[in-house]
Amino acid sequence: MIQYKSEAEIEAIKESALILAKAHGEVAKNIVPGVKTLTLDKIAEEYILDHKASPSFKNYNGFPASLCISTNENVVHGFPSGYELKDGDIISIDCGVYFNGFHSDSAYTYPVGNVKEEVLQLLKVTKTSLYKGIESAVYGNWTGDIGYAVQSYVEEFGYGVVRELVGHGVGRNLHEEPEIPNYGKRGKGKKLKEGLVIAIEPMINLGTKNIVQESDGWTIRTADKRPSAHFEHMVAIFEDRTEILTSHQYIEENYKF
Ligand code: MG
Ligand code: MG
């Protein structure tokens, strides 16, 4: 069942999302060649705990960290390790915050140092596809309109749209109904009504859309081991507008590409 939110609940989600946005900003300052991904996780976790919130992902179904950190061919659900970022990598940082009874969830993919032009384009196109999806997330539209907007844009570039992992409702639970696929048909799926709060999160592959799960039980990577990008925002649907609840502002103040 879809849990529609009141304006007061959406205001509470925005408080959670502000802590999340600033935690991302702290991580962004430290994305440089040579940094260990474990260090990034520690920075985010400390920031979240210092603001009387808790990391949504830690221990979620047994997940071992505060951030999902997925480099290069890893699509999502990777976790931090002693791996040191190197020039030419890309790194997806997905973070969730629980505060005041509500979760917030957003993700960003960064180039590390000098990244190949075709990979940089993947990042730019995937980020733009998120905003194409958001433009279609308006009152009276359908979840299929969001998926169609993302898919039709990125497929022009020959990219693969991951099918098995999708966006979702967010609220008192990290993952709620409805599912928000990054592919689909206009006018299909669930209707977007007042009070719907969803995470839209394109996961776009440079090559094949197919994915496999690594033997660590978490990390999802592309089947052809070519790079994958992931950007995520949460939005709230109102009859007269759609509001983006999460923010990449603190990332982009510190990190330009
Ligand atoms: Mg999400
Ligand atoms: Mg996420």
Side-chain angles (χ1 to χ4, degrees):
M1 209 177 82
I2 296 175
Q3 312 281 330
Y4 295 96
K5 278 78 181 176
S6 67
E7 294 227 18
E9 289 173 321
I10 291 169
E11 286 308 309
I13 292 173
K14 280 157 103 171
E15 290 179 28
S16 175
L18 182 61
I19 298 170
L20 171 63
K22 292 181 175 176
H24 268 297
E26 292 306 305
V27 173
K29 290 176 194 167
N30 291 280
I31 295 189
V32 289
V35 75
K36 285 189 173 68
T37 58
L38 265 172
T39 306
L40 301 175
D41 188 66
K42 195 161 177 280
I43 289 165
E45 183 169 303
E46 277 180 10
Y47 186 88
I48 293 165
L49 296 176
D50 282 352
H51 291 78
K52 301 182 167 42
S54 52
S56 299
F57 300 169
K58 198 159 192 178
N59 301 320
Y60 183 81
N61 293 335
F63 189 74
S66 294
L67 296 179
C68 288
I69 297 184
S70 308
T71 48
N72 302 323
E73 73 273 20
N74 298 320
V75 181
V76 286
H77 303 169
F79 49 86
S81 68
Y83 177 77
E84 292 179 5
L85 293 182
K86 58 183 195 301
D87 190 68
D89 281 348
I90 59 171
I91 179 172
S92 153
I93 303 285
D94 192 354
C95 187
V97 164
Y98 183 72
F99 182 70
N100 267 347
F102 289 94
H103 291 277
S104 53
D105 184 10
S106 73
Y108 202 88
T109 304
Y110 303 79
V112 180
N114 297 301
V115 167
K116 278 190 210 154
E117 193 50 49
E118 64 166 2
V119 179
L120 205 54
Q121 181 184 267
L122 172 72
L123 300 189
K124 288 175 180 170
V125 168
T126 304
K127 187 162 82 165
T128 302
S129 79
L130 167 60
Y131 291 97
K132 300 262 180 200
I134 292 171
E135 277 171 29
S136 296
V138 294
Y139 178 83
N141 270 5
W142 301 78
T143 54
D145 294 313
I146 300 171
Y148 176 83
V150 172
Q151 181 182 17
S152 58
Y153 179 64
V154 303
E155 285 185 349
E156 278 178 41
F157 296 85
Y159 298 156
V161 178
V162 173
R163 299 297 201 273
E164 295 86 345
L165 300 151
V166 295
H168 50 91
V170 196
R172 294 193 181 277
N173 300 294
L174 179 60
H175 294 114
E176 298 183 355
E177 289 184 45
E179 291 194 339
I180 311 293
N182 297 301
Y183 59 93
K185 293 194 165 64
R186 283 188 277 202
K188 299 285 184 192
K190 294 277 191 295
K191 199 164 195 173
L192 307 182
K193 298 180 185 170
E194 171 108 0
L196 183 68
V197 173
I198 50 174
I200 301 174
E201 50 179 315
M203 288 156 259
I204 308 298
N205 301 343
L206 189 59
T208 178
K209 67 182 188 315
N210 297 326
I211 57 171
V212 295
Q213 182 160 42
E214 290 285 17
S215 56
D216 63 23
W218 283 106
T219 311
I220 304 290
R221 72 158 167 85
T222 56
D224 59 7
K225 296 196 175 177
R226 300 185 77 195
S228 182
H230 178 213
F231 289 83
E232 177 179 28
H233 268 316
M234 280 168 64
V235 302
I237 309 293
F238 296 93
E239 201 171 330
D240 61 346
R241 67 190 188 283
T242 294
E243 255 187 68
I244 302 178
L245 305 179
T246 46
S247 171
H248 293 157
Q249 178 194 340
Y250 301 98
I251 293 174
E252 293 182 341
E253 280 174 1
N254 291 303
Y255 209 96
K256 282 271 181 288
F257 73 86

